[in-house]
Amino acid sequence: MISPWDRWYSTSCCLCCHVRTGTIILGIWYMLINAVVLLILLSALNDPIQYRYHLTSSELGTDIDVMDDANICIATAISLLMILICGMATYGAYKQHAAWIIPFFCYQIFDFALNTLVAISVVVYPNTVQDYLQQLPGTFPYKEDIMSTNNMCLVFAVLVFIGCILSFKAYLIGCVWNCYRYVSGRGSTEVLVYVTTNDTTVLLPPYEEAIALPPKEPPPQYMEA
């Protein structure tokens, strides 16, 4: 009987790419995105007056700092950590080191769980969509038109959008997991040599192990009395 893990196992992704190639491309893409975010955050730290903005009193009634130095430092540390994790996954897929792919796979699971919680919160508390729209600034395009839409339609549209994102993320998780299985499988594969005679079948160890084995001592010589 084929297990569910083996049933969904495949060495190809996106209909044409190998899972190793797909994982490398995905890791590089995530690194580029986090590198751009890191450059923006570092620019904000160097020139906080230019990049820091305030919500005016006409929008929320108070003057609130949306991003301060502490939040920028935390976001910078997260971006550096993400670049490190994505770099490890890219290197692990390229050099076929399965252990290097695990942190990126765990991040994907964590990100998928967070998006699932967002979808559950929208279902349990549908009014959160309207509350979120009310917190948007007045200059947000089509804000009034969106708020005038029926609440159930908004919730359905948000759930469809989140469902598409979750489906895509689940597919990427499957690609990275298949890459991990492929790399770990290649690392643990042993070549077994069978020598078949008319009566018996002899299983020989791999060539490298056979060379590494210490030579056997010759049997003692027969001494005649």
Side-chain angles (χ1 to χ4, degrees), residues 11 18 27 40 42 49 57 74 90 95 97 107-108 110 117 128 140-141 145 147 161 164 180 203 212-213 221 224:
T11 57
H18 195 272
I40 295 174
L42 292 177
I49 299 177
S57 58
I74 294 173
T90 304
K95 292 294 184 178
H97 297 312
Y107 158 72
Q108 286 185 301
F110 179 74
L117 290 177
T128 54
F140 189 82
D145 296 335
M147 292 187 63
F161 179 73
C164 294
Y180 171 78
L203 177 62
L213 290 176
Q221 297 182 358
E224 295 182 357

Side-chain angles (χ1 to χ4, degrees), residues 167-212:
S167 301
F168 183 67
K169 288 181 179 293
Y171 180 76
L172 295 180
I173 290 174
C175 293
V176 175
W177 174 249
N178 288 335
C179 178
Y180 171 78
R181 292 188 60 186
Y182 173 79
V183 173
S184 61
R186 283 181 60 90
S188 60
T189 300
E190 296 181 352
V191 180
L192 301 179
V193 181
Y194 291 88
V195 178
T196 304
T197 63
N198 294 332
D199 300 328
T200 59
T201 301
V202 181
L203 177 62
L204 299 180
Y207 178 74
E208 294 80 2
E209 295 183 5
I211 295 178

Side-chain angles (χ1 to χ4, degrees), residues 90-120:
T90 304
Y91 178 81
Y94 180 73
K95 292 294 184 178
Q96 298 190 20
H97 297 312
W100 292 65
I101 307 176
I102 295 178
F104 184 71
F105 178 75
C106 294
Y107 158 72
Q108 286 185 301
I109 297 296
F110 179 74
D111 182 59
F112 185 85
L114 286 181
N115 285 272
T116 305
L117 290 177
V118 171
I120 294 174

Side-chain angles (χ1 to χ4, degrees), residues 61-81:
T62 56
D63 192 16
I64 301 176
D65 282 333
V66 174
M67 183 173 292
D68 53 9
D69 293 338
N71 293 331
I72 293 178
C73 292
I74 294 173
T76 302
I78 294 175
S79 297
L80 288 173
L81 180 62

Side-chain angles (χ1 to χ4, degrees), residues 130 133-134 142-151 154:
Q130 290 287 347
L133 291 175
Q134 292 177 358
Y142 306 106
K143 176 183 177 180
E144 298 297 332
D145 296 335
I146 297 175
M147 292 187 63
S148 61
T149 308
N150 187 11
N151 190 29
L154 286 177

